[in-house]
Amino acid sequence: MLDFKIASGRSNLPLARNIANYIGVELTDVTIKNFSDGEIWVKYEENIRGVDLFIIQSTFAPADNLLELLLLIDAAKRASAKRVTAVIPYFAYARQDRKDQPRVSISAKLIANLITRAGADRVIMIDLHSSQIQGFFDIPSDHLYASPVLIRRLLHLGLTNFIVAAPDIGAAKTARAYAKRLNVDLVIIDKRRPEHNVAEVLNIIGEPEGKNVIIVDDLIDTGTTFIQCAEALKNRGALDIYGVCVHPVFSGNALEKINSTQALKKLFVTDTIPLRAESDKIEVVSVAELFAEAIIRTHDNRSISSLFEIER
Ligand code: R5P
């Protein structure tokens, strides 16, 4: 059996440490530095020849996080690691996943190409913006779901008289899975994007009046979608509104906007991206155990599908 090791870039060290702790190993000793012009330099400080290496790195902005992952993969291959798995808790550039207008890039495919060409032998990701991104990789890719962990937390709230809401059509499939698992009804918000980072609620499909609501989305970027959805539901007579999102991208002043909106009572996010500040309104639910189990099972060539058994 191959040795296995876990290394991490600098984008999400707290999650990487928690994953390593759960498995009961130390993170592999890696030095990562920036030159004065910002260029990144990486070096494995221990022998990784013949090793089954898992590299943990979220690729949220800045793009240096992606570059750091590519350099770590490249260095590992050149140091004769036997197999390199890129463990990517947040896979950025995923939203540009098709040519939805002329002369645009399909960034998700480009990033998949870069990771593969750098030398990754396989990838593990969680709650991709769209599942078909798995197919952009011509190497084995495992797609985890945070829903079992988040649903467990939601069940502990002991909520009654509630429904689940999808903030746009794209989120409907995931939200429906939550609703099914929680055995409640689903409402869908009909959202329009007149331009980048701007969202408009056009219609609410379903009946939120007199109900507590849990809004489910894969990510929050500017917070516009989530907050407008919460406000629209409130205006239609919803009671308490909770939110669940896997990836807290929180660009610009999204965190402040979420903290200050009266429409949202509590938001549950995961630790795929570290929060830059704590918030009374936001609770972080860790996906470290899920990734740790996926890593152990991948190393042992065991199935990982039982980690995300949820009807979709
Ligand atoms: C859209 O398809 C995504 O699932 C999110 O709803 C969206 O990217 C969130 O963006 P923002 O927070 O900027 O509205």
Side-chain angles (χ1 to χ4, degrees):
M1 172 76 78
L2 292 178
D3 270 351
F4 92 101
K5 293 190 178 189
I6 299 178
S8 177
R10 294 173 293 183
S11 69
N12 196 345
L13 272 168
L15 174 63
R17 288 193 186 109
N18 287 338
I19 293 171
N21 275 345
Y22 180 85
I23 297 175
V25 295
E26 295 284 323
L27 285 176
T28 298
D29 192 7
V30 185
T31 302
I32 307 177
K33 290 181 184 165
N34 289 84
F35 290 100
S36 134
D37 63 355
E39 281 187 11
I40 303 165
W41 180 85
V42 308
K43 181 184 178 198
Y44 291 89
E45 299 288 2
E46 56 190 87
N47 181 18
I48 53 169
R49 277 179 191 268
V51 158
D52 188 13
L53 185 70
F54 293 82
I55 302 171
I56 301 169
Q57 176 81 332
S58 272
T59 58
F60 54 88
D64 274 9
N65 287 331
L66 170 66
L67 207 48
E68 196 167 290
L69 172 64
L70 300 176
L71 293 171
L72 284 166
I73 295 169
D74 182 63
K77 292 306 274 193
R78 292 176 194 284
S80 304
K82 180 82 176 173
R83 182 174 73 168
V84 173
T85 301
V87 180
I88 311 172
Y90 176 64
F91 181 83
Y93 281 92
R95 282 173 283 178
Q96 300 167 56
D97 59 359
R98 63 198 178 283
K99 222 173 146 191
D100 59 353
Q101 45 182 302
R103 301 176 295 282
V104 294
S105 167
I106 303 179
S107 63
K109 174 61 181 157
L110 172 64
I111 306 297
N113 285 348
L114 290 172
I115 291 166
T116 308
R117 288 303 295 267
D121 296 293
R122 57 187 309 139
V123 285
I124 300 177
M125 299 164 291
I126 189 166
D127 284 273
L128 285 165
H129 183 62
S130 51
S131 304
Q132 60 268 27
I133 291 171
Q134 280 178 96
F136 292 1
F137 287 90
D138 287 330
I139 51 176
S141 66
D142 287 305
H143 185 193
L144 308 179
Y145 294 97
S147 44
V149 182
L150 288 165
I151 287 175
R152 209 178 305 140
R153 178 65 191 92
L154 291 172
L155 287 170
H156 274 126
L157 285 177
L159 279 183
T160 53
N161 183 34
F162 70 101
I163 54 172
V164 167
D168 56 28
I169 307 294
K173 193 173 171 208
T174 304
R176 190 179 306 117
Y178 275 71
K180 196 167 179 184
R181 181 71 190 275
L182 293 164
N183 200 20
V184 297
D185 287 339
L186 174 70
V187 301
I188 298 174
I189 315 288
D190 180 16
K191 176 186 93 175
R192 190 174 79 104
R193 273 217 189 276
E195 54 186 281
H196 289 165
N197 294 136
V198 177
E200 264 174 30
V201 171
L202 296 179
N203 199 8
I204 295 175
I205 305 163
E207 194 38 78
E209 191 176 346
K211 303 275 185 190
N212 297 306
V213 184
I214 301 173
I215 305 173
V216 175
D217 207 353
D218 64 326
L219 67 91
I220 295 179
D221 181 354
T222 63
T224 315
T225 301
F226 227 88
I227 292 170
Q228 290 203 355
C229 175
E231 285 169 354
L233 288 162
K234 270 274 179 208
N235 292 338
R236 277 280 293 269
L239 303 176
D240 287 340
I241 301 188
Y242 298 82
V244 169
C245 111
V246 179
H247 306 295
V249 176
F250 291 173
S251 66
N253 62 350
L255 187 59
E256 292 70 22
K257 283 182 352 200
I258 285 164
N259 281 335
S260 60
T261 179
Q262 300 296 315
L264 197 61
K265 185 162 184 185
K266 184 126 195 137
L267 176 65
F268 298 93
V269 301
T270 80
D271 50 358
T272 60
I273 299 173
L275 292 188
R276 73 185 137 76
E278 294 206 348
S279 151
D280 290 341
K281 196 174 269 182
I282 302 172
E283 181 178 320
V284 179
V285 180
S286 183
V287 286
E289 285 190 28
L290 195 59
F291 273 110
E293 278 296 331
I295 287 171
I296 294 168
R297 290 172 191 218
T298 300
H299 175 64
D300 293 345
N301 291 320
R302 281 189 289 135
S303 165
I304 65 166
S305 57
S306 59
L307 293 177
F308 44 84
E309 268 165 7
I310 175 170
E311 289 177 73
R312 305 189 76 78

